Amino acid sequence: MARLLVGVSLVVVFAFAILQPAFTIGEWEQGIILQFGQWQRTLQEPGLHFKIPFMQNLIRFDKRVLTTDARTAEYITLDKKRVLIDHVSRWQIEQPLEFYRSVRNPTQARTRLDAIISARLRQEVAKHNFQDLIRDKREDIMEVVTKDTIETSKSFGIEVLDVRIKRLDLPGEVQASVF
């Protein structure tokens, strides 16, 4: 019985040692290989890949388009009207190594993107009247915000595809006074 247990243990350890270095990268993902915390290579092509067990780590990232749905925030227009704006952005990881070095994970990236977009949106909303924001200049404002966000996010290894205002509303007390 003891020999059988030792034999099974050896087979399991041997199988683990053989299978540990082999891994696959799917079409929807990409990754980087780190050896003792230092970058070795970037994997952006799907397929079977190998690494040195116990020395190299694989960090996977999504290659698909990701979204950031921000919380509603209050902004002030040029004519001093308060508005509530909820924005959404679409982005993807373009440079996995830069992404890992700057923001580490998608949650941190969403937080950084939300801060960048909110700040830029605040600047643009402050340049326009309420009526322009509602009707005439909304697309122009979103183009400017998107363009600036694309430039800023390149340093994070992120490609921003689009930024849109999902919802624009008046604060509750203003709505109550109107109705």
Side-chain angles (χ1 to χ4, degrees):
M1 184 65 165
R3 286 185 187 178
L4 180 63
L5 190 58
V6 170
V8 169
S9 299
L10 286 175
V11 168
V12 168
V13 168
F14 181 72
F16 182 72
I18 295 295
L19 297 176
Q20 172 80 22
F23 62 92
T24 59
I25 295 288
E27 291 182 24
W28 61 90
E29 60 187 355
Q30 54 194 339
I32 57 172
I33 298 286
L34 300 178
Q35 183 170 327
F36 301 119
Q38 299 296 317
W39 175 81
Q40 292 299 307
R41 65 183 190 268
T42 300
L43 306 168
Q44 292 186 307
E45 295 298 318
L48 181 65
H49 299 277
F50 296 93
K51 65 182 176 89
I52 301 170
F54 309 111
M55 291 176 59
Q56 294 181 335
N57 295 338
L58 168 66
I59 300 173
R60 296 175 191 260
F61 300 106
D62 210 331
K63 198 186 269 188
R64 297 174 284 198
V65 174
L66 305 169
T67 60
T68 301
D69 192 3
R71 290 183 180 161
T72 303
E74 189 172 292
Y75 299 89
I76 299 175
T77 63
L78 182 64
D79 53 354
K80 305 297 182 214
K81 302 239 170 130
R82 297 181 319 162
V83 292
L84 297 174
I85 296 178
D86 186 10
H87 68 269
V88 63
S89 61
R90 295 180 322 120
W91 56 280
Q92 64 188 59
I93 301 168
E94 194 67 27
Q95 301 289 329
L97 180 59
E98 287 303 314
F99 182 82
Y100 179 74
R101 286 181 176 162
S102 59
V103 291
R104 296 274 186 199
N105 59 46
T107 305
Q108 287 291 101
R110 284 182 180 95
T111 304
R112 298 280 287 273
L113 275 176
D114 185 29
I116 291 167
I117 294 168
S118 293
R120 192 62 189 106
L121 193 57
R122 189 169 310 283
Q123 291 172 349
E124 280 302 307
V125 167
K127 293 179 185 176
H128 298 279
N129 291 323
F130 178 74
Q131 190 170 5
D132 292 340
L133 187 62
I134 297 293
R135 293 191 316 194
D136 305 330
K137 306 276 180 158
R138 190 170 181 165
E139 284 300 315
D140 297 336
I141 292 169
M142 294 321 304
E143 284 179 26
V144 170
V145 172
T146 301
K147 182 178 160 249
D148 290 347
T149 305
I150 288 170
E151 292 301 315
T152 307
S153 66
K154 282 183 183 177
S155 63
F156 303 140
I158 295 172
E159 179 187 9
V160 174
L161 305 172
D162 195 20
V163 177
R164 290 277 154 220
I165 292 177
K166 186 168 86 173
R167 181 174 166 223
L168 191 141
D169 209 352
L170 295 170
E173 59 272 4
V174 174
Q175 282 183 0
S177 69
V178 168
F179 295 115

